[in-house]
Amino acid sequence: MGLVGRNRTEGDALESAQERRERWRSVYIIYFTMFQMSLGFSIVLTGVWPYLDKLQPGSSKEALGLAVGASPLGQLAASPLLGFWANRAGSARGPMLTTLALFVMASTLYAHLHLTRPYAHHWMLAARALVGVSSANVAVARSYLSAATRESERTRAVAGASLAQVLGFVVGPALQAAVAPLGPGEPYPPLGQYNHPIRLDMYTAAGWINAVLGLINFILFLPFFFKEKKIAAREAMLAHGKETEKEAMKAIKPDYVSSWMLVGAFFVLVFNFVLLETLATSLTMDQFAWNKKQALEYMGALMSAGAIVACVVFALITPLTKLFEERALLLWGGFLLTGMASILCIPWGPGPPPLAGSSGVTEEAGGGCPQHSQPWCENSRGLTIVQFLLGYTCVSIGYPLGVTLIQTIFSKVLGPRPQGVWMGVLTGAGCVSRALGPVFVSAVYARHGPDATFASTAALTFVALLALRLVYSRLKPPPSPEVVPPREMMPLKQNENVS
C-alpha cells in the first residue's frame, strides 16, 4: 500500500467525494417520495366527501369511512410484501418504480371517476386502495435510508424523512384549498353521456396533482438520477475487520426482542396521535359547546400550529441527540410527553361539560355534550381549555420526537442487514394504529367518555415506556464481533544452551 493509501481515513475508504454527493442526492429523492406519499393521502381528505356526494348523491357516511380507510388498509397489506421484494432483489429501484407507476394510474383514475357512474363509489374505493398499496413503498424508502447512511448520519436522515412526511400531511389539505376556486365544475351529464371525458375542477384537481407529482417522482428514480449507494454494510465490514460485506452481515446478530418491543412501542405512539387527531373535533364540541363551524375553524388553526411545532422539533432532533442520548430522549421526551398528553385530556374541571340543549346550547347547532346518545355526559366532569391546549402541546412535541427516534434506534438495532421486511412490519404497525383509532373512538369514547378513553391510552403509553426501559441496555446497535488481529510470524527460539 502506498503512502496515500496508508494516510486515507475510514471515511475516504468508504467513499469518494463524488460518491458521497450521489449518495445524498438519492437520499433527497427518498425524502421527496416520503413527502409525496403523505401528500397523496392527505390532499383528498377534505374533498373526498363532497366529491363522493356529487358522484353519487345520497351516499352514506359509511361509504365515506370506507373511502378514507381503503388507503391505510392497502398500505398495511402491501408493506411487508414490498419489503420482501426489495430484500430479495437487493435493490430499491424496482419496487419504487412499480409502485410509483401504480400511484400515477390510481391518481388518474381518481380524476376520472365521473366516467364510472353509477359505480363511482366502488371505483373510488379501488383508486384509494391502490394509492395505499403504492404508498407502502415508504417501507422500502426507510429500508434504503438505513442502508445508504452511516450510523452517525442515521438520526439526521430519519429526522429528514419524518419531516418530509409531516410536510406532506400539512401541504395536502392546503393544496386542496388552493384549487377550491376552480369550483365543482359543470353538472354531470346523464348516465351514458360523456361530453367532457377529461375534467378539471376542485375535486379532480387532487387526482391530477398526485399524477403529475408521481410522474416526476418516477423519473427521479431512473438510473440517471437515483444511484443506489449502500454504505452501511461497507462501514460494518471495515469496522469488524471482515473481507466482504456479506461476512460482516452474517457476523452481526440483531436483537429480535428489542426489535419487536420497538414495533409495539411504535404502534402505541402512532395510536395515541391518531386517536387524539380523530377525536379532537368531537371532543371540543362536547366539552366546550363549539358548533361545527367553530370546531373546524379552531381545530384547523390548532392543528396547523401543532404541525409548525412538530417541524421545529424535527429540526432540533439532530442537535438534541448531541446533548442527550437517543434512548433517553425517546423515553423521557417522546413517551413521557405523549403519556402526559393523555393524562391532561382526562377532564379535571370543577363541573360537568355543557349539555346540549341547555343554557342556550342547541343540539342542532352541534355544540354541547349530547346526553341522550352519550349518557356519561351528565355524570362526567368537564375538560378545561387550558388542559386541552397543554395536552395538545405535549403530543405535538412528544410524537415527532418519539416517532423519529424509534425509527432511528430500530434501524440501528437491526444493523446493516437488508431491512425491507422489518421496515414493512414497522410501517404495518402504524397502519393498524390508523385503522383502530376511529374504532376505539366509537367503542370506548361514545360509550364510556373521555375518562375511560384517555386513562386507557395513558396506561398503554406508560406500559410501553416501562417495557422500553426494561430493554434499555439492548436498544443499541448489535455488538461487534471480536476482531482477532493476525499473529505476526515470530522467529523460532534457539536453544540457549547450544553453543
Side-chain angles (χ1 to χ4, degrees):
M1 182 182 294
L3 179 63
V4 175
R6 285 197 300 270
N7 290 336
R8 290 177 66 150
T9 64
E10 183 179 332
D12 293 325
L14 287 172
E15 63 184 353
S16 66
Q18 175 64 23
E19 288 173 331
R20 187 179 191 281
R21 285 193 294 269
E22 291 176 345
R23 178 168 66 88
W24 274 98
R25 183 175 67 191
S26 297
V27 168
Y28 294 142
I29 292 173
I30 292 291
Y31 289 171
F32 179 72
T33 303
M34 303 286 272
F35 167 80
Q36 192 221 324
M37 291 299 106
S38 294
L39 184 144
F41 173 77
S42 66
I43 193 173
V44 305
L45 288 181
T46 55
V48 65
W49 171 246
Y51 189 24
L52 180 61
D53 192 53
K54 181 177 181 181
L55 290 165
Q56 289 187 209
S59 295
S60 65
K61 289 294 178 63
E62 286 76 12
L64 171 64
L66 289 173
V68 174
S71 181
L73 289 176
Q75 188 181 37
L76 171 64
S79 292
L81 298 177
L82 280 176
F84 178 75
W85 179 9
N87 279 3
R88 291 298 300 268
S91 170
R93 193 189 313 278
M96 298 303 289
L97 287 174
T98 302
T99 51
L100 288 170
L102 183 64
F103 183 84
V104 173
M105 182 184 73
S107 301
T108 305
L109 173 60
Y110 187 83
H112 286 87
L113 289 176
H114 59 283
L115 301 179
T116 65
R117 295 176 303 136
Y119 306 107
H121 174 232
H122 299 90
W123 284 101
M124 178 180 280
L125 287 179
R128 298 306 299 160
L130 290 176
V131 166
V133 170
S134 57
S135 66
N137 61 17
V138 299
V140 180
R142 287 171 177 159
S143 176
Y144 179 78
L145 281 181
S146 300
T149 53
R150 302 180 192 178
E151 192 173 304
S152 60
E153 301 170 333
R154 197 72 44 77
T155 303
R156 169 192 168 191
V158 175
S162 299
L163 175 58
Q165 285 187 294
V166 169
L167 289 176
F169 281 117
V170 174
V171 172
L175 278 179
Q176 176 69 84
V179 298
L182 293 173
E186 298 178 359
Y188 294 139
L191 293 177
Q193 299 181 21
Y194 307 104
N195 297 334
H196 302 288
I198 298 178
R199 294 175 62 99
L200 178 61
D201 54 45
M202 66 181 185
Y203 305 132
T204 62
W208 290 120
I209 290 172
N210 277 340
V212 170
L213 290 177
L215 184 60
I216 293 172
N217 206 346
F218 183 93
I219 294 171
L220 289 176
F221 271 96
L222 296 177
F224 180 78
F225 298 103
F226 184 80
K227 300 183 184 298
E228 297 197 55
K229 302 288 184 181
K230 298 182 178 180
I231 199 171
R234 201 183 319 161
E235 182 183 38
M237 180 189 74
L238 293 179
H240 301 153
K242 299 298 181 181
E243 295 293 329
T244 65
E245 296 176 8
K246 190 174 183 180
E247 287 181 11
M249 286 189 287
K250 282 185 176 181
I252 299 172
K253 303 298 182 183
D255 188 333
Y256 292 115
V257 173
S258 56
S259 298
W260 280 111
M261 200 73 77
L262 287 166
V263 170
F266 186 74
F267 166 84
V268 171
L269 199 66
V270 176
F271 181 79
N272 270 272
F273 181 75
V274 170
L275 176 69
L276 188 56
E277 292 284 288
T278 304
L279 188 56
T281 301
S282 299
L283 179 68
T284 53
M285 290 174 65
D286 289 348
Q287 297 292 328
F288 309 135
W290 292 349
N291 58 36
K292 294 178 181 178
K293 183 175 183 295
Q294 288 174 322
L296 290 176
E297 288 177 350
Y298 298 159
M299 285 310 305
L302 184 59
M303 288 181 180
S304 298
I308 293 173
V309 171
C311 290
V312 173
V313 172
F314 282 126
L316 291 175
I317 286 177
T318 300
L320 281 173
T321 54
K322 295 178 181 178
L323 299 175
F324 307 99
E325 193 179 38
E326 289 178 348
R327 296 175 294 177
L329 271 178
L330 172 62
L331 267 64
W332 312 120
F335 275 87
L336 182 60
L337 284 176
T338 303
M340 288 302 300
S342 292
I343 291 177
L344 286 168
C345 286
I346 298 174
W348 292 352
L355 301 179
S358 63
S359 301
V361 179
T362 61
E363 192 164 3
E364 291 74 17
C369 199
Q371 66 271 30
H372 299 296
S373 57
Q374 297 175 171
W376 53 263
C377 291
E378 293 181 315
N379 302 317
S380 172
R381 300 173 72 178
L383 180 70
T384 67
I385 188 70
V386 174
Q387 277 185 254
F388 181 71
L389 291 177
L390 286 175
Y392 201 85
T393 301
C394 284
V395 80
S396 297
I397 298 172
Y399 176 75
L401 263 179
V403 76
T404 300
L405 292 173
I406 278 185
Q407 293 177 63
T408 302
I409 296 172
F410 185 68
S411 171
K412 292 180 179 180
V413 165
L414 293 175
R417 65 184 56 249
Q419 299 181 5
V421 174
W422 275 102
M423 288 299 174
V425 171
L426 191 70
T427 302
C431 295
V432 173
S433 295
R434 283 196 286 162
L436 289 182
V439 175
F440 195 80
V441 169
S442 59
V444 179
Y445 177 79
R447 297 180 182 180
H448 305 288
D451 299 66
T453 301
F454 292 109
S456 300
T457 56
L460 191 63
T461 305
F462 287 119
V463 166
L465 190 155
L466 177 61
L468 290 176
R469 185 64 186 87
L470 292 174
V471 296
Y472 190 85
S473 61
R474 304 168 71 165
L475 300 177
K476 58 184 180 180
S480 302
E482 183 179 356
V483 180
V484 180
R487 298 184 62 185
E488 296 183 3
M489 299 274 304
M490 300 295 293
L492 292 173
K493 290 185 178 181
Q494 298 296 327
N495 192 336
E496 295 178 358
N497 296 326
V498 177
S499 59

